[in-house]
Amino acid sequence: METFTGVTCPFCGCLCDDIEVTVEKGNIVKVKNGCAYSLTKYLNCNRDRITTPLIRENDKQVVVELPAAIERAAKILSDAEYPVLYGWSSTSAEAIGLGIELAEEVGGAIDNTTSVCHGPTTEALQELGLPGCTLGQVKNRADLIIYWGSNPLQSHLRHMSRYTIGAEGRWRKSRDDRTLVVVDVRRTYTARVADYFIQVEPNRDYELITALRMALRHEEIEQERVAGVPVEDIEELADLMMSCEFGALFYGLGLTMSSGKNRNIDAAISLVRDLNRWTKFVMIPMRGHFNVNGANIVFLWHTGYPFAIDFSHGYPIYAPGATSAVDILSRGESDAALIISSDPAANFPRRAVENLFKNPLIVIDPHRTVTSMRADVVIPSAFVGIECEGTAYRMDGVPIKMRGIAEPPKGVLPDEEILKGILTEIRRLKRGG
């Protein structure tokens, strides 16, 4: 039995790095410091596990050796004219880099899960920039915390205890040193512990942010209520934001996916910029998958764009609304797909899923999923951060090296090794080898 300390949890964008994991005979038997999601991921990592490569023959998935599966996957991608490569948010930065190389090699489109969650965030940040900081700075300095369209007590379970109202920072020692504001369409669990709860009407975040900006400038708001919020409450919140010493705005899909989308984030960035005339204020998106931020960052390194990139013309084209995986699949334009560490069949629109299943499909994933059950090639992979090492980026952009602490099933390789194999085989096929 061996206990590993300082392990980074590969679940959400918090990347909590204080986990203690005990491993006995290759199996994880005990986890300390993790949230409920973390414990579930560690202790159930072998449940519904795929342990052998599969290839579909005569409408049935049959077990094959890994080289045969890699060869079939490479043949599908090299024969395709416009494959889609999707997922990439629950794997390592090293594997994501290989995915970009693979998409360019086969002239396909590559997209990560940002296009269905924080896509509006990345679009707005590219236009206006991010007035951000690290979570450590928030922990040590912030005296005003705002969660907008985000409910961390149910989505990022340790965010508040590690970084905001429950954290002991250098200059903010206790809950009494911080004020918590929640803006949401309903009274969430997080709202129940807030000092101020602002209930905004659904899809009217933009109006509320605009009214806050007017209140900051002491402009008259000629209405009694904006977005369902009394003007006096808006003015009180504006005063609170202006008078704090260090404010932090965390926002989630309640802001990015309500009407306005990237314009909501434009307005929020402008609000934070305005606030920095009076005080120090920052904003950080609440990212979901543990390395979705890494997917955006690696995509940007290689192409200049964060998601939804089309290589079909030989160079990267970025046109969200046209080149995302959902758009391409919904139009039925692709003729093959590679899905890695994702399950689009469980959450994409029906037409996109139907077209995904019409063409050859490759899945690389540790678990059996709805998508893998319909795949033509299934290649099992090791869990990044549990069974193999890799780099991930926290929601504030801090890179963290993740360790492998347990052995994967026999013959199961990391995503990085599998992608290298597919890429090598594709290049061999193109040379006519």
Side-chain angles (χ1 to χ4, degrees):
M1 183 181 294
E2 184 177 4
T3 298
F4 298 86
T5 59
V7 177
T8 300
C9 171
F11 184 77
C12 76
C14 289
L15 288 178
C16 297
D17 55 1
D18 61 343
I19 311 296
E20 287 186 22
V21 183
T22 302
V23 179
E24 183 178 11
K25 297 179 181 179
N27 295 315
I28 296 174
V29 295
K30 186 178 179 183
V31 180
K32 287 180 67 179
N33 298 334
C35 67
Y37 297 138
S38 176
L39 265 61
T40 299
K41 180 154 188 176
Y42 280 114
L43 297 176
N44 296 300
C45 66
N46 285 322
R47 181 177 291 183
D48 291 328
R49 193 71 187 267
I50 308 170
T51 57
T52 54
L54 304 168
I55 285 180
R56 183 171 297 280
E57 291 182 354
N58 298 323
D59 206 29
K60 289 185 178 179
Q61 290 180 333
V62 298
V63 175
V64 296
E65 296 295 324
L66 181 61
I70 287 178
E71 186 177 327
R72 175 72 72 87
K75 186 74 167 64
I76 289 172
L77 292 173
S78 61
D79 288 347
E81 293 185 0
Y82 191 34
V84 169
L85 291 75
Y86 178 78
W88 310 105
S89 299
S90 294
T91 187
S92 66
E94 293 81 0
I96 297 166
L98 285 166
I100 296 284
E101 198 173 340
L102 182 59
E104 188 170 12
E105 185 72 36
V106 299
I110 186 166
D111 192 15
N112 57 64
T113 59
T114 296
S115 62
V116 294
C117 57
H118 271 278
T121 291
T122 53
E123 289 181 71
L125 297 186
Q126 283 207 305
E127 291 182 9
L128 298 176
L130 175 68
C133 71
T134 67
L135 290 171
Q137 288 176 290
V138 173
K139 173 184 174 181
N140 289 320
R141 298 176 182 278
D143 59 335
L144 175 62
I145 305 294
I146 299 176
Y147 289 104
W148 194 310
S150 174
N151 181 20
L153 282 184
Q154 289 189 296
S155 60
H156 300 72
L157 303 188
R158 298 185 70 206
H159 191 271
M160 295 171 74
S161 62
R162 278 176 61 84
Y163 304 116
T164 63
I165 62 166
E168 181 180 348
R170 183 170 181 181
W171 292 287
R172 310 296 175 193
K173 299 294 185 183
S174 68
R175 174 71 174 86
D176 293 338
D177 295 329
R178 307 183 199 263
T179 301
L180 174 62
V181 177
V182 171
V183 183
D184 216 317
V185 296
R186 64 179 66 84
R187 187 176 290 276
T188 61
Y189 283 110
T190 308
R192 294 175 191 175
V193 299
D195 300 295
Y196 296 87
F197 171 53
I198 306 295
Q199 187 163 12
V200 59
E201 291 179 348
N203 297 313
R204 298 193 65 188
D205 302 274
Y206 187 89
E207 290 96 318
L208 180 56
I209 296 171
T210 302
L212 275 169
R213 295 186 67 197
M214 292 178 66
L216 293 181
R217 297 192 294 265
H218 302 292
E219 294 176 358
E220 185 180 358
I221 302 174
E222 297 178 346
Q223 295 184 27
E224 294 183 356
R225 305 174 77 89
V226 176
V229 181
V231 168
E232 53 267 30
D233 289 354
I234 294 172
E235 292 174 342
E236 184 180 2
L237 178 57
D239 288 341
L240 192 67
M241 297 168 88
M242 293 168 67
S243 60
C244 74
E245 294 181 356
F246 189 116
L249 168 62
F250 295 95
Y251 64 97
L253 301 191
L255 189 60
T256 66
M257 285 298 167
S258 62
S259 291
K261 294 196 173 186
N262 60 313
R263 294 306 172 197
N264 289 342
I265 312 304
D266 283 353
I269 293 171
S270 299
L271 172 65
V272 171
R273 282 183 172 178
D274 291 349
L275 284 163
N276 277 284
R277 296 176 184 171
W278 288 277
T279 185
K280 175 69 176 177
F281 225 100
V282 299
M283 60 189 295
I284 297 176
M286 299 286 284
R287 306 307 300 270
H289 296 88
F290 76 85
N291 201 25
V292 63
N293 203 19
N296 296 148
I297 290 170
V298 176
F299 275 39
L300 280 165
W301 287 346
H302 287 264
T303 69
Y305 306 115
F307 67 98
I309 300 161
D310 184 346
F311 282 102
S312 61
H313 292 266
Y315 52 86
I317 296 174
Y318 173 63
T323 57
S324 75
V326 169
D327 294 308
I328 294 168
L329 289 169
S330 296
R331 295 194 300 266
E333 293 176 347
S334 63
D335 55 356
L338 183 151
I339 308 298
I340 181 166
S341 300
S342 186
D343 189 14
N347 53 60
F348 271 17
R350 178 178 175 178
R351 183 176 297 177
V353 174
E354 289 173 348
N355 288 328
L356 176 70
F357 290 155
K358 283 180 181 175
N359 297 310
L361 174 61
I362 306 156
V363 170
I364 301 172
D365 202 299
H367 280 305
R368 182 174 297 279
T369 63
V370 177
T371 306
S372 73
M373 291 171 70
R374 294 290 299 272
D376 298 281
V377 180
V378 180
I379 302 177
S381 61
F383 277 108
V384 177
I386 298 178
E387 296 168 342
C388 62
E389 64 178 19
T391 307
Y393 285 77
R394 209 166 57 184
M395 64 171 66
D396 56 353
V398 172
I400 295 178
K401 192 71 174 179
M402 309 185 79
R403 293 185 288 164
I405 53 173
E407 291 295 322
K410 186 178 179 181
V412 172
L413 300 179
D415 295 327
E416 192 178 347
E417 297 300 318
I418 296 167
L419 292 167
K420 281 180 182 175
I422 294 173
L423 191 55
T424 301
E425 181 64 16
I426 287 174
R427 286 170 174 163
R428 188 188 69 78
L429 290 171
K430 286 191 170 183
R431 289 198 305 269

